[in-house]
Coordinates of all heavy atoms in Angstrom, one line a residue:
E1 N 0.8 -1.2 0.0 CA 0.0 0.0 0.0 C 0.9 1.3 0.0 O 0.4 2.4 -0.3 CB -0.9 0.0 1.2 CG -2.0 -1.0 1.2 CD -1.6 -2.4 1.5 OE1 -0.6 -2.6 2.3 OE2 -2.1 -3.4 0.9
N2 N 2.1 1.2 0.4 CA 3.0 2.3 0.5 C 3.2 3.0 -0.9 O 3.7 4.2 -1.0 CB 4.3 2.0 1.1 CG 4.2 1.8 2.6 OD1 5.0 1.1 3.2 ND2 3.1 2.4 3.2
W3 N 2.9 2.3 -2.0 CA 3.1 2.9 -3.3 C 2.2 4.1 -3.5 O 2.3 5.0 -4.4 CB 2.9 1.9 -4.4 CG 3.9 0.8 -4.5 CD1 3.6 -0.5 -4.1 CD2 5.2 0.8 -4.9 NE1 4.8 -1.3 -4.2 CE2 5.8 -0.5 -4.8 CE3 6.0 1.8 -5.5 CZ2 7.1 -0.8 -5.1 CZ3 7.3 1.5 -5.8 CH2 7.8 0.2 -5.6
K4 N 1.2 4.2 -2.6 CA 0.2 5.3 -2.7 C 0.7 6.6 -2.3 O 0.1 7.7 -2.4 CB -1.1 4.9 -1.9 CG -1.8 3.7 -2.4 CD -3.0 3.4 -1.4 CE -3.6 2.0 -1.8 NZ -4.7 1.7 -0.8
R5 N 1.9 6.6 -1.6 CA 2.5 7.8 -1.1 C 3.0 8.7 -2.3 O 3.1 8.2 -3.4 CB 3.6 7.5 -0.1 CG 3.1 6.7 1.1 CD 4.1 6.5 2.2 NE 3.6 5.8 3.3 CZ 4.3 5.7 4.4 NH1 5.5 6.1 4.6 NH2 3.7 5.0 5.5
S6 N 3.4 9.9 -2.0 CA 3.9 10.8 -3.0 C 5.1 10.2 -3.7 O 5.9 9.4 -3.2 CB 4.3 12.1 -2.4 OG 5.5 12.0 -1.6
V7 N 5.2 10.6 -5.0 CA 6.4 10.1 -5.8 C 7.7 10.6 -5.1 O 8.6 9.8 -5.1 CB 6.3 10.8 -7.2 CG1 7.5 10.4 -8.0 CG2 5.1 10.3 -8.0
E8 N 7.7 11.7 -4.5 CA 8.9 12.2 -3.9 C 9.3 11.3 -2.7 O 10.5 10.9 -2.6 CB 8.7 13.6 -3.4 CG 9.9 14.2 -2.7 CD 9.7 15.6 -2.1 OE1 8.5 16.0 -2.0 OE2 10.7 16.2 -1.6
E9 N 8.3 10.9 -1.9 CA 8.6 10.1 -0.8 C 9.0 8.7 -1.2 O 10.0 8.1 -0.7 CB 7.4 10.0 0.2 CG 7.6 9.2 1.4 CD 6.5 9.3 2.5 OE1 5.6 10.0 2.3 OE2 6.6 8.6 3.5
V10 N 8.3 8.1 -2.1 CA 8.6 6.7 -2.6 C 10.0 6.7 -3.2 O 10.8 5.8 -3.0 CB 7.5 6.2 -3.6 CG1 8.0 4.9 -4.2 CG2 6.2 6.0 -2.9
T11 N 10.3 7.7 -4.0 CA 11.6 7.8 -4.6 C 12.7 7.9 -3.5 O 13.7 7.2 -3.6 CB 11.7 9.0 -5.6 OG1 10.8 8.9 -6.6 CG2 13.1 9.1 -6.2
G12 N 12.5 8.7 -2.6 CA 13.4 8.8 -1.4 C 13.6 7.5 -0.7 O 14.7 7.1 -0.3
L13 N 12.5 6.8 -0.5 CA 12.5 5.5 0.2 C 13.3 4.5 -0.6 O 14.1 3.7 0.0 CB 11.1 5.0 0.4 CG 10.3 5.6 1.6 CD1 8.8 5.3 1.5 CD2 10.9 5.1 2.9
M14 N 13.2 4.5 -1.9 CA 13.9 3.5 -2.7 C 15.4 3.9 -2.7 O 16.3 3.0 -2.7 CB 13.4 3.5 -4.1 CG 12.0 2.9 -4.3 SD 11.9 1.2 -3.7 CE 10.5 1.3 -2.6
L15 N 15.8 5.1 -2.6 CA 17.2 5.5 -2.5 C 17.8 5.0 -1.2 O 18.9 4.5 -1.1 CB 17.3 7.0 -2.6 CG 17.1 7.6 -4.0 CD1 17.2 9.1 -4.0 CD2 18.2 7.1 -5.0
I16 N 17.0 5.2 -0.1 CA 17.4 4.7 1.2 C 17.6 3.2 1.2 O 18.5 2.6 1.8 CB 16.4 5.2 2.3 CG1 16.5 6.7 2.4 CG2 16.7 4.5 3.6 CD1 15.4 7.3 3.2
L17 N 16.6 2.5 0.5 CA 16.7 1.1 0.5 C 18.0 0.6 -0.2 O 18.6 -0.3 0.1 CB 15.5 0.6 -0.3 CG 15.4 -0.9 -0.6 CD1 15.5 -1.8 0.7 CD2 14.2 -1.3 -1.4
R18 N 18.3 1.3 -1.4 CA 19.5 0.9 -2.1 C 20.7 1.0 -1.3 O 21.6 0.2 -1.3 CB 19.6 1.8 -3.4 CG 18.6 1.5 -4.5 CD 18.8 2.4 -5.7 NE 18.0 2.0 -6.9 CZ 16.8 2.4 -7.1 NH1 16.2 3.2 -6.3 NH2 16.2 1.9 -8.2
D19 N 20.8 2.1 -0.5 CA 22.0 2.3 0.4 C 22.0 1.3 1.4 O 23.1 0.8 1.8 CB 21.8 3.7 1.0 CG 23.1 4.1 1.8 OD1 24.2 4.1 1.3 OD2 22.8 4.4 3.0
F20 N 20.9 0.9 2.0 CA 20.8 -0.1 3.1 C 21.2 -1.4 2.6 O 22.0 -2.1 3.2 CB 19.3 -0.2 3.6 CG 19.2 -1.1 4.7 CD1 19.4 -0.7 6.1 CD2 18.8 -2.4 4.5 CE1 19.3 -1.6 7.1 CE2 18.6 -3.3 5.5 CZ 18.9 -2.9 6.8
L21 N 20.7 -1.8 1.4 CA 21.1 -3.1 0.7 C 22.6 -3.1 0.5 O 23.3 -4.2 0.7 CB 20.3 -3.4 -0.5 CG 18.8 -3.6 -0.3 CD1 18.1 -3.6 -1.7 CD2 18.6 -4.9 0.4
R22 N 23.2 -2.0 0.0 CA 24.6 -2.0 -0.4 C 25.4 -2.2 0.9 O 26.4 -2.9 0.9 CB 24.9 -0.6 -1.0 CG 26.3 -0.5 -1.4 CD 26.6 1.0 -2.0 NE 26.2 2.0 -1.0 CZ 26.9 2.4 0.0 NH1 28.1 1.8 0.3 NH2 26.4 3.4 0.8
K23 N 25.1 -1.5 2.0 CA 25.9 -1.6 3.2 C 25.6 -3.0 3.9 O 26.5 -3.4 4.7 CB 25.5 -0.5 4.2 CG 25.9 0.9 3.6 CD 25.7 2.0 4.7 CE 24.3 2.2 5.1 NZ 24.1 3.3 6.1
S24 N 24.5 -3.6 3.7 CA 24.2 -4.8 4.4 C 25.0 -6.0 4.2 O 25.2 -6.8 5.0 CB 22.7 -5.1 4.2 OG 21.8 -4.2 4.8
I25 N 25.6 -6.1 3.0 CA 26.4 -7.2 2.6 C 27.7 -7.2 3.6 O 27.9 -8.3 4.2 CB 26.9 -7.2 1.2 CG1 25.7 -7.5 0.2 CG2 28.0 -8.2 0.9 CD1 26.0 -7.4 -1.2
E26 N 28.3 -6.1 3.7 CA 29.5 -6.1 4.5 C 29.1 -6.3 6.0 O 29.8 -7.1 6.7 CB 30.3 -4.8 4.4 CG 31.5 -4.6 5.3 CD 32.2 -3.3 5.1 OE1 31.8 -2.5 4.2 OE2 33.1 -3.1 5.9
K27 N 28.1 -5.6 6.4 CA 27.7 -5.7 7.8 C 27.1 -7.1 8.2 O 27.4 -7.6 9.3 CB 26.5 -4.7 8.1 CG 27.0 -3.3 8.2 CD 25.9 -2.3 8.6 CE 26.4 -0.9 8.8 NZ 27.2 -0.8 10.0
A28 N 26.4 -7.7 7.2 CA 25.9 -9.0 7.5 C 27.0 -10.1 7.7 O 26.9 -10.9 8.6 CB 24.9 -9.4 6.4
N29 N 28.0 -10.0 6.8 CA 29.0 -11.0 6.9 C 29.9 -10.8 8.1 O 30.4 -11.7 8.8 CB 29.9 -11.0 5.6 CG 29.1 -11.8 4.5 OD1 28.4 -12.7 4.7 ND2 29.4 -11.3 3.3
K30 N 30.1 -9.5 8.5 CA 30.9 -9.2 9.7 C 30.2 -9.7 10.9 O 30.8 -10.1 11.9 CB 31.0 -7.6 9.7 CG 31.8 -7.2 11.0 CD 31.8 -5.6 11.0 CE 32.5 -5.2 12.3 NZ 32.5 -3.7 12.4
N31 N 28.8 -9.6 10.9 CA 28.1 -10.0 12.1 C 27.4 -11.4 12.0 O 26.6 -11.7 12.8 CB 26.9 -8.9 12.4 CG 27.5 -7.6 12.7 OD1 28.5 -7.4 13.4 ND2 26.9 -6.6 12.1
N32 N 27.8 -12.1 10.9 CA 27.3 -13.5 10.8 C 25.8 -13.5 10.6 O 25.1 -14.4 11.2 CB 27.8 -14.4 11.9 CG 27.6 -15.9 11.6 OD1 27.6 -16.3 10.5 ND2 27.4 -16.7 12.7
M33 N 25.2 -12.5 10.0 CA 23.8 -12.4 9.9 C 23.3 -12.9 8.6 O 23.8 -12.6 7.5 CB 23.4 -10.9 10.1 CG 21.9 -10.6 9.9 SD 21.6 -8.8 10.2 CE 22.4 -8.0 8.8
R34 N 22.2 -13.6 8.6 CA 21.5 -14.0 7.3 C 20.4 -13.1 7.0 O 19.6 -12.8 7.9 CB 21.0 -15.5 7.4 CG 20.3 -15.9 6.1 CD 19.8 -17.3 6.2 NE 19.2 -17.7 5.0 CZ 18.6 -18.9 4.8 NH1 18.5 -19.8 5.8 NH2 18.0 -19.2 3.6
V35 N 20.3 -12.6 5.8 CA 19.3 -11.7 5.4 C 18.4 -12.3 4.4 O 18.8 -12.9 3.4 CB 19.9 -10.4 4.9 CG1 18.8 -9.4 4.5 CG2 20.9 -9.8 5.8

């Protein structure tokens, strides 16, 4: 349902998601975390 939010907010959320996914590989392996 979150796609109903403004284009600006959804675009910002996707940028944050991309950054989170990028950083998660290093952090996950460092902390032995499965994602």
Side-chain angles (χ1 to χ4, degrees):
E1 291 76 33
N2 286 156
W3 296 106
K4 299 174 185 177
R5 297 186 179 187
S6 71
V7 173
E8 179 184 12
E9 183 172 356
V10 171
T11 300
L13 281 165
M14 291 300 132
L15 288 173
I16 293 168
L17 173 62
R18 286 179 170 92
D19 184 58
F20 182 85
L21 292 170
R22 178 183 57 79
K23 293 189 296 184
S24 289
I25 291 180
E26 180 180 353
K27 286 182 174 291
N29 285 328
K30 178 182 176 182
N31 298 319
N32 193 28
M33 175 176 70
R34 182 180 180 184
V35 184

